[in-house]
Structures are given as structure tokens and as C-alpha cells.
């Protein structure tokens, strides 16, 4: 789990829902619905679907993100195959029999209608054979953040006497978007052309004190954002936009704002966007179905964050990786671990907890990691109580207590001992012990009337002077773990041999410099 500040997006749930429905109802003229990578580099029979118009490809270096991005571009005429899949003679003999199959919603210009179509791109006889389609494709590669002075395409602009024959102001929509992303004035930017009618251009600006400066003196992230936004605003509706390593050169906040802008573009211009990233901030505005993890030749849908992927692929030193279904599972596992440590004398050093979006992913990741001889530490899965039939101590798969949502079990367990713990619960909520009666009344009333356990703690917090739901969760989990040690033991006793003992060390980790998301003893 990522310890520290929670990332929140300004994109509303209604906007996410509307865009998802637009895809499911095929309200596009052109849309790449999905691909099957029959054989492509490390991928064999791997499939991906684009259920949301903005898709993030996340994974470790060498995990295959760019391969998927390139495969998406390959079926369109505007992108040459060698841009992503060039061959170097005998050294790339493995390209033989590469093949990608596509499912698209495509417009028929003769009938002015759109329908489902399939296409194939394959590498045969030392060249690509593809049923390429016509569609505007914008590709923003990693070279966009190379300093302007090192870019060969901009050397023609260098010179003490250069003056552009054509200066163009940024459009109003470009200015507005750039200002929101960068958090700075953007009205004084100019697009300057090398020559009239030419395709080469450079950006320039005028500072508040009147000094002029060119892109040669921009920050790499500043220039990248201006180029991306300006090109997108000038592109036709229904364009396909591909971005490599979207966070390059950007502050985390600017990265999140850029993705929010892309979601707005998907809504306003019906564009489809696919980008690669190593940043959790880039994932924050997106729904689960918009994120695909690329690792070990597999494609997995769901908001599996970057830290979780590093644990899954063994890229961190740890003692045990713990996969749970969701954010509440992270907090519940952490509360249980702290109580287990207090009584059993284990260390939390090197333990990591990761929410992976559902019981299927949690169980699958634990199994695959434990079968991978290249990963030196074990993994366990803790599923919600309604998955009790999947418990397998041999595979290190256990369940939280209860028969349904963990939130319900924790709340009901604490309620059953309110006569004992009400005062402690009040203190955990930073309330005086004199408020224990008010706390108990709120808990009992909410349990009687609540229909959605996922909002139960928020409701209790609202009753108690609007205490945040996260603080209420922690208070309940603390009391649950302390009052029901037998339930805590049932979770971790099956994996006790893999939990580090107090005072033990984990190679590559120390309490002073423990790499997140591993937990440090406190």
C-alpha cells in the first residue's frame, strides 16, 4: 500500500460513467475496441480491450507497455510499422510470425455508417502485411522531452539573426488547458514557423517583464505539455492519441492534470487516448477498467498501481507481499498485522500490502508469484469473507473473517462489544471519553439503517461532527483487531513461517530507508 497522501481527482463519477457508456453503446464513428497479440515480442495470445476512451498502460521497465502502444498504432496507415517494430537483419529473426488481430468500430465512408470490423497485421516474408485503416493518429514519443538544443529537428532555428516569417498565437482552448495543467500564465506563448507553409515550428514566449525567450530555454515538461495540448486541440474529432511515458518531465500534480485534460478531450472531441506510464498520479483520474498492467508477457485489467507491479515482478526486496481486493482490505490487513506483531513478536519490515481490484486478481497474483522461481519472497492473498471457498493454505490464500463485506463484519464486531470499547473508540476518534454514549448511539443507529456497508463509516463520521471516513475506519479497525485476536490469528497463522521475526533484517531494506510500499516497524 502507498503510505502518505491520498490522490484525489477532480473528474466526477458521472463523467466517467458517461464515457464508459459511450464506448459500450458504440457512439463513435471510429474506435479501436480491442486487440489480440497472437505473437508479439514477449506476448503470446494476450488480449486487451479498450473499455474506456482513455487507457493507461502501466508496468515495470521492459514489461511490454510500448509493445502494446505500438500494436495499437500498427493498424493505422499514418504510423509506419518501423516506428515501433523495426528489424535489424538476422538480429531480429524472432519477428517471424508476429501477428496482431484487431476488433474495431469503423466508419464506412460510402454508406456513412459505422460497423464492427476485424483487421490483422502480421510480419511475413521480412515485411509487415497489414489491413491498415485511415484515421488521424497523433503520436507523442519520449523524444518530446529531450532539451530543444539537442533535437536535430530544431537546429534550423538556432542563429543570432533568426526571425520567423509567421508567428501564431495559441488558441483559446489551448491556453486554457495549458494554464490548468502547468498552473501558470500561457497567453504569451507563440508558435513560430521556420518558413511560410513549412512543417517545422518552435514555441516561444514573452515573460511578464517583457523578455522574449524560445523553446530552447523552456523546461522539458513545459514544452511537452504545450506541444501535446496544441496538437490535440488542432486535431480532428475521433483522432487516436498515443503518448509514451506521459509523466516525463512533469511534476506529479501536472501529470494528474494532464490526464484529466485528456478525459475532457475524450468527452469533448470523441478522441481515443492510450498512454504508457510509471506514475500512480497518472492513474488517479481513471476508473479501474481504464488501466491495464503489462508484465511478464501478460495483460491484466484493473488499477494495479506501480508499486504493486514492482512487488509482483520481484523488482523490490521484501519478505512477503500481501495482495487484497481493495483499499479497505489494505487498511484491515495493516491493522491486523500491527496487532499480530504486538502479540507474536514479528517485524513489519519488508512486508507490503497491495490492493489489486478484486478477488480474482489477488488470488492469481499470489499464485503466480509463488510459482515464479526468479522471485525470492513469497506472496499471500487475503480475500473478502464471501470467497471462503477459495481458501488454500498450501497456496497461501486466506480470507478476512465474516461471510460478506469486511466493512460489515468489522462494524458488527465492534458493535457487539460497544459496552466495553465505546470509550476507547471515542478516543480513537479524537473525541473525549464523555462522548462514548453519542458514539455508541450513532454506531447502533447506522447499523440498523445502513444498506451499503461501503459508506457506513462515512455515515458514522457525519453523525460525529463530520469526522472523515478514513479516520472512522482506522478507529473501528483498531478496536476490531484488539478485541478479536483469534480472527487476526486466523489470517496470519497460516503464513507465520514467512513473516520476519522481530530484529530480523531484510536484504536491501532498512527501517531508515525502506522502499514503499513495504511497511516499516513503528
Amino acid at each position: 500500500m502507498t503510505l502518505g497522501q491520498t490522490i484525489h481527482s477532480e473528474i466526477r463519477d458521472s463523467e466517467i460513467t458517461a464515457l464508459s457508456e459511450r464506448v459500450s453503446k458504440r457512439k463513435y464513428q471510429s474506435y479501436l475496441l480491442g486487440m489480440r497479440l497472437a505473437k508479439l515480442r514477449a506476448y503470446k495470445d494476450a488480449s486487451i480491450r479498450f473499455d474506456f476512451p482513455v487507457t493507461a498502460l502501466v508496468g515495470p521497465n521492459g514489461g511490454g507497455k510500448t509493445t502494446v502502444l505500438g500494436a495499437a498504432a500498427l493498424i493505422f496507415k499514418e504510423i509506419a510499422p518501423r516506428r515501433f517494430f523495426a528489424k535489424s537483419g538476422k538480429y531480429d529473426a524472432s519477428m517471424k510470425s508476429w501477428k496482431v488481430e484487431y476488433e474495431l468500430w469503423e466508419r464506412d465512408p460510402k454508406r456513412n455508417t459505422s460497423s464492427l470490423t476485424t483487421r490483422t497485421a502480421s510480419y511475413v516474408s521480412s515485411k509487415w502485411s497489414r489491413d491498415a485503416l485511415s484515421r488521424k493518429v497523433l503520436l507523442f514519443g519520449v523524444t518530446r522531452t529531450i532539451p530543444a538544443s539537442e533535437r536535430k529537428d530544431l537546429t534550423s532555428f538556432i542563429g543570432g539573426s533568426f526571425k520567423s516569417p509567421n508567428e501564431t498565437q495559441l488558441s483559446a482552448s489551448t491556453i486554457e488547458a495549458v494554464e490548468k495543467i502547468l498552473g501558470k500564465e500561457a497567453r504569451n506563448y507563440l508558435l513560430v514557423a521556420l518558413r511560410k507553409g513549412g512543417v517545422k515550428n518552435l514555441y516561444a514566449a514573452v515573460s511578464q517583464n517583457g523578455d522574449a525567450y524560445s523553446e530552447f530555454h523552456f523546461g522539458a515538461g513545459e514544452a511537452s505539455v504545450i506541444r501535446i495540448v496544441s496538437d490535440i486541440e488542432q486535431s480532428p474529432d475521433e483522432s487516436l492519441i498515443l503518448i509514451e511515458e506521459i509523466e516525463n518531465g512533469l511534476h506529479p500534480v501536472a501529470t494528474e492534470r494532464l490526464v484529466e485534460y485528456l478525459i475532457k478531450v475524450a468527452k469533448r472531441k470523441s478522441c481515443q487516448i492510450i498512454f504508457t506510464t510509471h506514475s500512480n498520479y497518472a492513474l488517479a483520474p481513471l476508473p479501474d477498467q481504464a488501466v491495464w498492467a503489462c508484465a511478464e508477457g501478460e495483460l491484466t485489467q484493473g488499477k494495479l498501481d506501480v508499486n504493486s507491479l514492482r512487488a509482483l515482478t520481484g523488482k523490490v526486496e521484501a519478505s512477503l507481499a500481501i495482495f487484497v481486493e481493495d483499499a479497505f482490505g489494505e487498511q484491515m490487513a495493516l491493522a491486523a498485522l500491527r496487532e499480530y506483531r504486538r502479540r507474536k513478536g514479528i517485524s513489519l519490515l519488508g512486508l507490503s500490502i497491495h490492493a489489486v481490484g478484486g478477488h480474482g486478481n489477488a488470488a492469481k497474483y499470489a499464485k503466480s508469484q509463488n510459482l515464479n522461481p526468479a522471485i525470492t519472497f513469497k506472496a499471500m492473498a487475503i480475500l473478502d469473507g464471501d470467497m471462503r471457498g477459495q481458501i488454500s493454505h498450501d497456496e497461501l490464500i486466506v480470507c478476512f473473517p465474516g461471510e460478506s463485506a469486511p466493512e460489515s463484519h468489522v462494524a458488527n464486531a465492534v458493535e457487539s462489544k460497544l459496552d466495553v470499547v465505546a470509550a476507547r473508540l471515542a478516543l480513537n476518534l479524537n473525541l473525549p471519553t464523555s462522548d462514548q454514549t453519542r458514539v455508541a448511539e450513532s454506531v447502533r443507529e447506522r447499523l440498523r439503517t445502513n444498506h451499503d456497508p461501503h459508506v457506513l463509516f462515512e455515515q458514522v463520521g457525519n453523525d460525529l461532527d463530520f469526522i472523515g471516513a478514513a479516520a472512522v475506519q482506522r478507529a473501528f479497525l483498531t478496536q476490531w483487531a484488539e478485541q478479536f485476536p483469534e480472527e487476526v490469528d486466523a489470517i496470519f497463522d497460516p503464513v507465520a513461517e514467512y513473516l520476519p521475526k522481530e530484529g530480523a533484517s531484510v536484504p536491501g531494506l532498512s527501517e531508515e530507508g525502506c522502499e514503499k510500499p513495504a511497511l516499516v516497524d513503528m
Side-chain angles (χ1 to χ4, degrees):
M1 64 183 296
T2 303
L3 305 179
Q5 185 177 4
T6 302
I7 306 172
H8 295 288
S9 170
E10 295 183 5
I11 298 295
R12 294 175 294 179
D13 290 343
S14 59
E15 294 177 275
I16 297 296
T17 299
L19 284 171
S20 297
E21 290 180 351
R22 185 183 294 183
V23 175
S24 64
K25 295 178 179 179
R26 308 287 195 265
K27 293 185 177 180
Y28 291 89
Q29 292 187 32
S30 298
Y31 192 90
L32 176 58
L33 295 167
M35 305 184 298
R36 175 178 172 267
L37 281 58
K39 184 180 178 183
L40 192 69
R41 290 183 180 149
Y43 293 105
K44 292 183 180 179
D45 196 25
S47 295
I48 180 172
R49 296 197 61 81
F50 301 102
D51 299 322
F52 191 75
V54 182
T55 301
L57 305 173
V58 61
N61 289 327
K65 302 184 300 298
T66 303
T67 298
V68 178
L69 192 76
L74 188 59
I75 199 61
F76 298 103
K77 294 178 181 178
E78 196 156 329
I79 303 297
R82 66 182 300 173
R83 170 59 179 81
F84 289 96
F85 305 111
K87 182 175 181 178
S88 181
K90 69 176 184 179
Y91 304 104
D92 286 317
S94 62
M95 290 177 67
K96 183 180 179 180
S97 301
W98 280 9
K99 182 180 180 181
V100 184
E101 299 169 351
Y102 300 86
E103 185 178 4
L104 306 107
W105 187 252
E106 194 61 31
R107 180 175 175 270
D108 183 342
K110 293 181 180 179
R111 299 181 180 180
N112 199 28
T113 60
S114 295
S115 61
L116 187 66
T117 184
T118 58
R119 291 286 189 275
T120 301
S122 56
Y123 194 82
V124 292
S125 301
S126 299
K127 65 178 182 180
W128 281 100
S129 174
R130 54 181 184 156
D131 302 327
L133 296 167
S134 297
R135 185 182 182 186
K136 180 62 179 179
V137 180
L138 279 69
L139 174 59
F140 301 99
V142 293
T143 57
R144 70 186 186 278
T145 54
I146 294 175
S149 58
E150 299 177 20
R151 288 177 50 180
K152 292 182 179 180
D153 60 319
L154 298 182
T155 56
S156 301
F157 291 90
I158 298 175
S161 60
F162 173 75
K163 183 178 180 181
S164 172
N166 190 27
E167 297 179 352
T168 306
Q169 297 281 347
L170 301 185
S171 68
S173 59
T174 300
I175 291 171
E176 179 183 3
V178 169
E179 289 181 345
K180 286 184 177 179
I181 295 168
L182 296 179
K184 60 185 293 186
E185 172 68 44
R187 298 185 181 280
N188 294 323
Y189 288 111
L190 293 171
L191 179 65
V192 298
L194 181 63
R195 56 180 59 91
K196 287 186 177 181
V199 295
K200 288 188 178 181
N201 54 64
L202 182 81
Y203 284 93
V206 178
S207 67
Q208 291 183 345
N209 61 11
D211 293 334
Y213 60 100
S214 73
E215 192 173 338
F216 292 112
H217 305 284
F218 284 15
E222 178 184 13
S224 173
V225 166
I226 294 170
R227 284 191 176 275
I228 289 174
V229 173
S230 182
D231 286 358
I232 287 175
E233 290 301 318
Q234 295 178 65
S235 69
D237 290 358
E238 308 241 359
S239 296
L240 175 63
I241 300 164
L242 307 175
I243 307 174
E244 293 184 87
E245 299 188 18
I246 195 170
E247 72 278 9
N248 269 16
L250 295 180
H251 185 278
V253 174
T255 299
E256 183 177 352
R257 288 173 178 166
L258 177 54
V259 176
E260 290 175 341
Y261 162 72
L262 295 175
I263 294 174
K264 299 288 188 182
V265 165
K267 176 182 178 181
R268 175 166 50 88
K269 293 171 66 73
S270 297
C271 291
Q272 182 175 6
I273 302 104
I274 307 171
F275 65 82
T276 67
T277 187
H278 296 96
S279 171
N280 285 335
Y281 286 87
L283 307 183
L286 296 172
D288 283 353
Q289 70 266 30
V291 181
W292 284 82
C294 310
E296 308 295 335
E298 292 189 5
L299 294 170
T300 305
Q301 188 176 30
K303 196 177 282 190
L304 184 65
D305 70 19
V306 177
N307 291 323
S308 300
L309 269 169
R310 296 183 69 221
L312 180 62
T313 54
K315 302 298 183 183
V316 295
E317 294 293 340
S319 53
L320 180 70
I322 302 169
F323 296 110
V324 297
E325 294 191 27
D326 54 27
F328 185 81
E330 285 185 326
Q331 295 297 328
M332 190 169 180
L334 178 57
L337 272 172
R338 286 173 170 160
E339 172 58 25
Y340 197 76
R341 175 190 65 171
R342 186 179 67 82
R343 292 182 293 103
K344 302 283 186 170
I346 66 163
S347 170
L348 298 187
L349 187 64
L351 301 181
S352 58
I353 309 172
H354 309 280
V356 294
H359 67 273
N361 284 345
K364 179 179 73 174
Y365 292 150
K367 290 177 184 178
S368 64
Q369 180 162 325
N370 291 333
L371 291 173
N372 189 340
I375 299 179
T376 59
F377 55 92
K378 291 291 186 179
M380 71 176 296
I382 310 177
L383 311 182
D384 289 356
D386 58 351
M387 292 291 114
R388 198 158 301 281
Q390 295 194 27
I391 289 177
S392 172
H393 290 172
D394 290 340
E395 296 178 304
L396 306 188
I397 299 174
V398 301
C399 279
F400 287 122
E403 301 296 333
S404 58
E407 293 93 333
S408 293
H409 178 81
V410 169
N412 282 291
V414 172
E415 190 274 339
S416 72
K417 293 199 173 185
L418 272 179
D419 292 341
V420 176
V421 304
R424 297 176 186 175
L425 189 60
L427 289 174
N428 290 146
L429 292 166
N430 292 319
L431 297 172
T433 55
S434 58
D435 276 354
Q436 61 182 289
T437 300
R438 187 162 69 103
V439 170
E441 289 175 349
S442 170
V443 173
R444 288 174 174 139
E445 174 63 21
R446 288 301 181 179
L447 280 172
R448 280 194 296 268
T449 60
N450 174 266
H451 295 288
D452 181 0
H454 299 96
V455 300
L456 176 62
F457 300 112
E458 180 181 354
Q459 292 172 339
V460 172
N462 289 341
D463 291 343
L464 301 174
D465 305 322
F466 298 99
I467 298 173
V472 179
Q473 280 184 191
R474 288 193 296 269
F476 271 75
L477 287 167
T478 297
Q479 290 307 312
W480 161 75
E482 290 179 0
Q483 297 300 318
F484 296 88
E486 70 283 359
E487 295 186 347
V488 170
D489 293 350
I491 297 172
F492 292 111
D493 278 352
V495 297
E497 63 180 292
Y498 304 109
L499 297 172
K501 302 302 179 185
E502 192 72 49
S505 62
V506 177
L509 292 175
S510 67
E511 294 192 7
E512 291 76 22
C514 181
E515 185 169 6
K516 294 178 182 180
L519 305 177
V520 181
D521 279 340
M522 292 176 285

